[in-house]
Amino acid sequence: MQDLVNIFVKSIFVDNMVFAYFLGMCSFLAVSKTVKTSVGLGAAVIFVLIITVPVDYLMNEYLLKPGALVWMGKEYASIDLSFLSFIMFIAIIASMVQLVEMVVEKFSPTLYASLGIFLPLIAVNCAILGGSLFMQQREYESVAEATAFGLGSGIGWFMAIVAIAAIREKIRYSNVPAPLRGLGITFVITGIMGIAFMTFMGIKL
Amino acid sequence: MAKEKEPLFSPKNIKLLTNPINVDNPITKQVLGICSALAVTVKLEPAIVMAISVTAVLAFGNVIISIMRNSIPSRIRIIVQLVVIAALVILVDQVLKAYAYDVSKQLSVFVGLIITNCIIMGRFEAFAMANKPWPSFLDGLGNGAGYAWILVAVAFFRELFGTGAILGWQIIPQSFYDMGYVNNGLVILPPMALFAVATIIWIQRSRNKELIED
């Protein structure tokens, strides 16, 4: 249990997707103009990460990594399919996004109306694929750990985009040097927030 | 066969190659492919390898998509594009693992993340789906080069000020250190990449007023 909490908190603050690894920067910069839309996108990212990271974990554990096929019989133990992981993960992410979109549309039209346009965007958000690849690289021990990691990274990304959107809404009233307006100043703000987030480094629960 | 053949390097094609390097730069103007640009620029070597990998994937992906563009149903084009990119990235990854293992370890997940690098999807959608293979190839090379020079510029300054070396060769002489010069540890940390790119944007936009946003 302690491990789970540790992974969860660490992936929100210390290994924040945006500030420590710059994942999902493209949509982070493009969609963070107002708080409302960024809440929608952030929620959609959390949603998709919680689903894809555990599914990709199971894929990796029982299909891709060296010796994973041993459940099919002893003669398969030496097969290593890990070179297929990119294509496997991206296929799972794309189909999961499609599936999530359909399920949400069916069961919660209000949620669909608010997430709707963002869901297809997410298939190509680096934060999602990054989540799966980090999960593979860090070799988590159980589905629960992978889920905690997925949830934590999602919440970290959500926090980052909502915070930057709030700042960008306010910065419209300040007098930024003309060449820095828009993209430039957003980079600087993200950098400053990144420095602030570095104070969490080394936290252990 | 009355139609005159367009020369391979007509002015229009040259423009495809040079525009993305400056005014239409994928990173500073189109805001594409930022994730990887920031994360791999601590040292020059991984940045160069990353730039070459992305350029290769982009140029050849553009050609492949451009050849297939008339037979891809538009409803499933995203999946088709992803499969093409993923196949190319797997190739790049295997080549890197075979010939540049150390760099491939340093780049870690970011080789895989070329798949979701928005430059590639963006150029497929915006260019390769509507143009012939040869212009698409040039467009891929041009955008790759535009991406590459930003990566190399950022990595150059970060490695120089962060470790006092370029590609592992000591540049700042020992006598400086004896006089009390200290490497700037802050430059190595992730946030400094953002400031470096912001500075490039600042310089570029103050030289070219058309790029300034509202």
Side-chain angles (χ1 to χ4, degrees):
Chain A
M1 193 61 213
Q2 189 143 20
D3 283 350
L4 291 185
V5 177
N6 194 16
I7 289 173
F8 178 69
V9 173
K10 233 179 130 184
S11 55
I12 296 181
F13 294 108
V14 185
D15 293 334
N16 188 291
M17 282 278 187
V18 175
F19 297 123
Y21 298 105
F22 309 114
L23 294 180
M25 279 303 264
C26 313
S27 29
F28 178 79
L29 293 172
V31 185
S32 63
K33 283 189 179 123
T34 58
V35 172
K36 199 158 172 274
T37 50
S38 61
V39 168
L41 183 65
V45 166
I46 298 182
F47 207 64
V48 174
L49 266 176
I50 305 178
I51 297 172
T52 56
V53 173
V55 172
D56 282 347
Y57 176 84
L58 292 175
M59 273 298 161
N60 188 42
E61 200 72 356
Y62 294 108
L63 210 57
L64 295 171
K65 76 176 192 190
L69 286 173
V70 77
W71 56 270
M72 279 169 64
K74 277 224 163 54
E75 63 272 29
Y76 294 99
S78 61
I79 295 177
D80 175 8
L81 289 177
S82 54
F83 68 94
L84 282 178
S85 40
F86 295 159
I87 213 161
M88 202 76 189
F89 286 173
I90 198 74
I92 287 174
I93 289 169
S95 46
M96 276 297 153
V97 168
Q98 197 81 56
L99 197 70
V100 166
E101 199 180 345
M102 276 158 24
V103 170
V104 171
E105 192 180 10
K106 179 99 176 76
F107 291 106
S108 169
T110 44
L111 185 64
Y112 182 75
S114 55
L115 293 185
I117 43 168
F118 298 116
L119 277 173
L121 264 182
I122 283 180
V124 288
N125 187 326
C126 355
I128 310 289
L129 183 61
S132 290
L133 291 176
F134 274 126
M135 171 276 295
Q136 188 189 32
Q137 195 188 39
R138 290 180 191 158
E139 294 171 348
Y140 289 118
E141 272 157 24
S142 64
V143 185
E145 285 187 5
T147 317
F149 169 73
L151 180 63
S153 335
I155 292 177
W157 203 88
F158 176 86
M159 258 174 29
I161 193 169
V162 172
I164 200 93
I167 296 177
R168 279 182 86 171
E169 276 190 359
K170 293 288 171 210
I171 213 154
R172 227 170 282 154
Y173 305 110
S174 30
N175 189 12
V176 180
L180 267 182
R181 255 171 230 164
L183 189 57
I185 197 69
T186 315
F187 269 95
V188 175
I189 297 168
T190 315
I192 294 171
M193 285 173 73
I195 292 180
F197 261 74
M198 279 168 47
T199 50
F200 293 114
M201 218 174 251
I203 286 184
K204 260 215 161 77
L205 287 183
Chain B
M1 292 296 279
K3 196 169 154 254
E4 201 178 321
K5 203 161 173 274
E6 199 185 355
L8 277 187
F9 287 100
S10 63
K12 207 177 97 210
N13 284 348
I14 296 284
K15 241 196 151 62
L16 286 179
L17 201 56
T18 54
N19 250 359
I21 295 179
N22 188 16
V23 284
D24 205 18
N25 191 285
I27 292 180
T28 61
K29 180 72 211 316
Q30 307 173 44
V31 205
L32 296 174
I34 295 173
C35 333
S36 54
L38 298 170
V40 300
T41 51
V42 178
K43 285 219 162 78
L44 198 51
E45 198 188 358
I48 292 174
V49 172
M50 185 72 181
I52 295 173
S53 317
V54 170
T55 312
V57 172
L58 185 51
F60 291 112
N62 252 357
V63 172
I64 295 173
I65 290 291
S66 168
I67 291 171
M68 301 199 304
R69 70 182 186 281
N70 292 326
S71 49
I72 302 175
S74 70
R75 284 183 63 88
I76 59 158
R77 65 179 195 286
I78 304 269
I79 293 278
V80 174
Q81 290 167 354
L82 279 175
V83 171
V84 169
I85 304 171
L88 284 168
V89 170
I90 288 176
L91 279 181
V92 166
D93 183 47
Q94 299 292 324
V95 169
L96 283 184
K97 272 189 186 143
Y99 294 104
Y101 190 72
D102 293 339
V103 182
S104 135
K105 267 265 143 349
Q106 279 179 45
L107 287 173
S108 71
V109 299
F110 289 98
V111 180
L113 286 174
I114 297 177
I115 297 173
T116 46
N117 192 319
C118 352
I119 291 188
I120 298 178
M121 280 297 238
R123 291 326 291 173
F124 280 11
E125 280 285 297
F127 200 89
M129 288 299 283
N131 284 283
K132 292 212 179 76
W134 174 247
S136 304
F137 181 67
L138 289 180
D139 181 77
L141 279 188
N143 278 289
Y147 173 82
W149 84 257
I150 300 239
L151 235 70
V152 170
V154 173
F156 179 83
F157 286 111
R158 285 183 78 189
E159 189 173 359
L160 180 61
F161 292 116
T163 61
I166 296 292
L167 288 173
W169 297 88
Q170 197 64 28
I171 296 289
I172 295 174
Q174 187 59 40
S175 53
F176 275 45
Y177 290 101
D178 295 339
M179 276 160 28
Y181 176 84
V182 180
N183 283 332
N184 189 346
L186 190 63
V187 182
I188 303 274
L189 298 173
M192 282 312 287
L194 290 157
F195 294 128
V197 176
T199 317
I200 293 178
I201 292 174
W202 194 354
I203 295 169
Q204 197 189 20
R205 292 195 179 178
S206 47
R207 288 169 54 122
N208 194 339
K209 299 275 187 248
E210 290 160 29
L211 297 180
I212 293 174
E213 289 172 41
D214 44 74

